[in-house]
Amino acid sequence: MATKRARIAKSSPVPRRVAILEAAKNVFSEQGYELATMDDIAERAGTTKRTVYAHFENKETLFAAMVEHSAGVFMQYLGEFDRSASNYQAELERFANRFCELSTFRHAVQFQRVIIAESKRFPKLSRSVSTSIGGKASAMLARYLHELDRRGKLKVDNPKLAAEQFLAITTGSIRLATLFGSIPPLARDPDPTEPNRTHAKEIRRGVEVFLRGIRAK
């Protein structure tokens, strides 16, 4: 047993850390912060509790790192805008659909509910989630809208505000309804190579409404 643990501890730190973070996300999402244990997370990650503690001082530290890791994965899956594309409306629809999918699949909804449940325990962390995920996505969109304004495609006086309004108009009601259980979450995890367009019609309508409000005259 000691030899086995030594081999685990000597394995590449980056893959092992990622495995622990992914396992933590699943365990926290399924059980909540209070009931989740380091033993459960170690077992799910296929490692030992000692190895988990070698990477993370305690459960709170692991929870915070898991949130930051999840934000990074979200942005990676969201992807950048294709600035060479001539059809900016199609790009905006793709972005809104992807953002909605990543926010409303089963594990994402569970994750958000855990963050809300733990907001009193970790007020800074809950704000960090908003900044790391929603804030970064909004900033990415704001940069794209600013570029469209610079190229004379749209009239966007305040890209930051416009980006926030865009996400609210196109996906806000869908995300909230899913979070509160009025709409069932997507059953399978989103695949970067196979977009799921469950709410495509609603989102297209939202993009059209948004563009009518800011389109250059």
Side-chain angles (χ1 to χ4, degrees), residues 9-34:
K10 290 179 181 179
S11 63
S12 179
V14 175
R16 178 62 64 194
R17 188 176 191 275
V18 171
I20 294 170
L21 289 169
E22 286 294 325
K25 180 175 66 175
N26 291 330
V27 172
F28 283 129
S29 296
E30 294 167 9
Q31 301 181 17
Y33 180 86
E34 192 66 38

Side-chain angles (χ1 to χ4, degrees), residues 106-152:
R106 179 167 49 89
H107 287 150
V109 172
Q110 290 175 334
F111 173 74
Q112 292 171 77
R113 288 171 178 167
V114 169
I115 295 299
I116 292 171
E118 299 300 331
S119 60
K120 287 187 177 181
R121 185 196 305 267
F122 303 115
K124 291 183 180 179
L125 194 56
S126 61
R127 289 194 294 271
S128 174
V129 172
S130 177
T131 302
S132 298
I133 298 178
K136 288 181 180 179
S138 183
M140 180 191 296
L141 174 58
R143 290 192 295 271
Y144 184 63
L145 292 174
H146 175 70
E147 183 173 329
L148 291 175
D149 176 82
R150 182 180 59 80
R151 288 160 52 189

Side-chain angles (χ1 to χ4, degrees), residues 172-183:
S173 62
I174 299 169
R175 289 183 286 123
L176 280 176
T178 307
L179 185 61
F180 289 106
S182 299
I183 297 176

Side-chain angles (χ1 to χ4, degrees), residues 1 18 35 77 86-87 96 121 157 171-172 174-175 193 214:
M1 179 62 73
V18 171
L35 295 179
Y77 272 42
S86 59
N87 190 341
R121 185 196 305 267
D157 296 325
T171 70
I174 299 169
R175 289 183 286 123
T193 64
I214 65 170

Side-chain angles (χ1 to χ4, degrees), residues 61-114:
T61 303
L62 174 54
F63 189 75
M66 177 272 297
V67 169
E68 186 63 29
H69 170 73
S70 298
V73 173
F74 185 99
M75 295 305 298
Q76 181 181 350
Y77 272 42
L78 184 60
E80 280 284 354
F81 284 96
D82 181 1
R83 285 168 169 74
S84 64
S86 59
N87 190 341
Y88 63 82
Q89 180 169 339
E91 272 299 288
L92 289 170
E93 286 184 24
R94 182 205 62 78
F95 178 87
N97 273 288
R98 196 65 182 152
F99 183 83
C100 190
E101 291 159 11
L102 290 167
S103 302
T104 59
F105 78 97
R106 179 167 49 89
H107 287 150
V109 172
Q110 290 175 334
F111 173 74
Q112 292 171 77
R113 288 171 178 167
V114 169

